[in-house]
Amino acid sequence: MVTPERTHPLAGLVSPAAETLYLRLRARKSLPLGTGHGELDPGSPGLAELLDLGLAFHCGEYEHLVRPVDQAVALRLLLEHRQSELVDKQNRIIEGWNRLTTLLPMNTGGGSTGELDGVLPLASTEEVVTRAAELYPSARRRMRCTDSGAVASRSTKDRLRSVVRRTPPGARFQMICPVDRSGSPFFPTVPGSTDEVRLRATVPITMLHVDDTAALVTPGASTQGALLIRAPAIISMLAEWFDLLWTDPATMAPDGHKDQSLSDMQRRVLELMAVEGDETIARRLGTSLTTVRRHVKAIYTALGVDNRFAAGVAAAKRGWI
């Protein structure tokens, strides 16, 4: 039985006209250019799209024929092209969010109120949830989060009860929360999420730490406010505290075992696996072929796959690439 994927390999990735023309070319192997019966009109809808994307090409003595590339090659080229478009668009969006982050309130006065430079107290739940909603999408590289599970959940006047996370793809999201977590307006559970989550018996503070540039911290269960922090020394201290907590033996993955996260070197290998072979990766990273293959095996284990293609798909779903 022919599966829909094999019948329509380009479905949804090109225009309907381009898809129809590609299927026509595949059925005939090639078509001559012309306006007669059985010929391909040079002005046919979708032809320029197929040629521009490399999904079809001119051939013949006078390049009077048009032939399609193999289905697997076409799909690979198309996925690479669409992924490149998405990455470019996402980078522009991320740059915009980063610019927005720099406009967030920051106390620099250090006046008689006792406030510190780079530390802005937020008194109301509405302010806290609003700042969290602004910070979530601004992560470009890494977001470290802790959830004490003790922050009261209440609606703001704009009915914003909880933050819907939209962490940009490619930004590593790590969260530590208590085993008996009762819920938080900062970090709602997302069904099917592939975020890196670990558990502890207790977590002292609720924190949202973004790209080593800003942090939103709720110090304890008794307070309804939070601190918006931009002071570099405090940001660095909180990052170091989180990293130590993340690797602490008392911090466990949800299944009770060590989380299958990747090292920095393994992440670099993973990024190169989509376009390079093991030997080329070894040369680019200045390491041995044996080491690269060991990293590849570890990546397969972490993702629960046994080949490069499946690893790319699983890593993309997790936001690792």
Side-chain angles (χ1 to χ4, degrees), residues 122-133 149-164 182-188 218 220-226:
L122 304 177
S124 69
T125 300
E126 181 178 350
E127 286 184 293
V128 175
V129 176
T130 299
R131 295 307 173 205
V151 180
S153 178
R154 65 178 66 180
S155 299
T156 68
K157 66 179 182 181
D158 297 320
R159 300 183 182 276
L160 179 60
R161 184 178 182 84
S162 62
V163 177
V164 178
S182 60
S184 164
F186 288 159
F187 311 116
T218 299
S222 61
T223 180
Q224 295 181 357

Side-chain angles (χ1 to χ4, degrees), residues 9 22 69-77:
Y22 178 80
V69 301
D70 180 75
Q71 290 183 97
V73 174
L75 186 55
R76 179 179 62 81
L77 291 173

Side-chain angles (χ1 to χ4, degrees), residues 24-313:
R24 181 185 170 196
L25 288 168
R26 287 287 301 167
R28 296 288 299 276
K29 307 301 182 183
S30 66
L31 286 172
L33 291 171
T35 57
H37 178 71
E39 295 181 326
L40 177 59
D41 187 338
S44 297
L47 178 58
E49 184 178 353
L50 292 180
L51 294 173
D52 289 343
L53 292 170
L55 308 183
F57 58 94
H58 293 288
C59 63
E61 184 177 358
Y62 300 104
E63 294 193 346
H64 68 292
L65 296 175
V66 175
R67 296 189 62 180
V69 301
D70 180 75
Q71 290 183 97
V73 174
L75 186 55
R76 179 179 62 81
L77 291 173
L78 191 52
L79 289 173
E80 289 176 351
H81 181 78
R82 297 305 181 211
Q83 183 176 31
S84 178
E85 288 182 335
L86 289 174
V87 169
D88 181 62
K89 290 179 181 178
Q90 188 63 51
N91 284 338
R92 292 199 299 269
I93 293 172
I94 290 172
E95 288 295 337
W97 278 114
N98 286 339
R99 290 194 293 270
L100 173 63
T101 303
T102 63
L103 300 177
L104 294 176
M106 171 179 172
N107 175 53
T108 57
S112 60
T113 60
E115 298 174 1
L116 299 174
D117 287 354
V119 179
L120 176 66
L122 304 177
S124 69
T125 300
E126 181 178 350
E127 286 184 293
V128 175
V129 176
T130 299
R131 295 307 173 205
E134 293 171 342
L135 284 171
Y136 260 123
S138 71
R140 183 170 185 176
R141 298 179 303 279
R142 185 177 183 185
M143 184 177 289
R144 301 172 175 93
C145 297
T146 61
D147 180 5
S148 67
V151 180
S153 178
R154 65 178 66 180
S155 299
T156 68
K157 66 179 182 181
D158 297 320
R159 300 183 182 276
L160 179 60
R161 184 178 182 84
S162 62
V163 177
V164 178
R165 287 198 294 98
R166 292 187 176 89
T167 308
R172 184 182 184 187
F173 184 94
Q174 298 169 277
M175 180 171 69
I176 302 174
C177 56
V179 175
D180 60 347
R181 178 183 180 279
S182 60
S184 164
F186 288 159
F187 311 116
T189 300
V190 181
S193 172
T194 55
D195 295 331
E196 299 174 60
V197 179
R198 293 191 181 179
L199 306 176
R200 287 182 65 87
T202 59
V203 179
I205 63 173
T206 294
M207 177 182 73
L208 192 157
H209 189 288
V210 182
D211 285 343
D212 295 309
T213 59
L216 187 65
V217 177
T218 299
S222 61
T223 180
Q224 295 181 357
L227 299 174
L228 180 60
I229 300 172
R230 286 185 171 278
I234 302 178
I235 291 292
S236 178
M237 179 192 68
L238 290 171
E240 184 175 354
W241 168 76
F242 179 93
D243 292 343
L244 290 172
L245 205 64
W246 186 261
T247 57
D248 186 83
T251 304
M252 303 298 294
D255 60 1
H257 301 287
K258 194 72 171 180
D259 187 26
Q260 293 286 354
S261 57
L262 303 182
S263 67
D264 290 341
M265 178 60 76
Q266 288 167 354
R267 287 180 178 272
R268 294 178 65 188
V269 171
L270 175 62
E271 291 171 357
L272 294 171
M273 281 171 56
V275 293
E276 306 287 4
D278 291 349
E279 293 183 356
T280 303
I281 294 174
R283 287 196 299 270
R284 291 189 62 174
L285 297 182
T287 188
S288 69
L289 180 60
T290 300
T291 298
V292 169
R293 287 176 175 169
R294 186 172 66 249
H295 286 319
V296 171
K297 184 177 180 181
I299 291 168
Y300 287 171
T301 300
L303 294 171
V305 299
D306 59 5
N307 62 74
R308 263 176 157 75
F309 179 78
V313 174

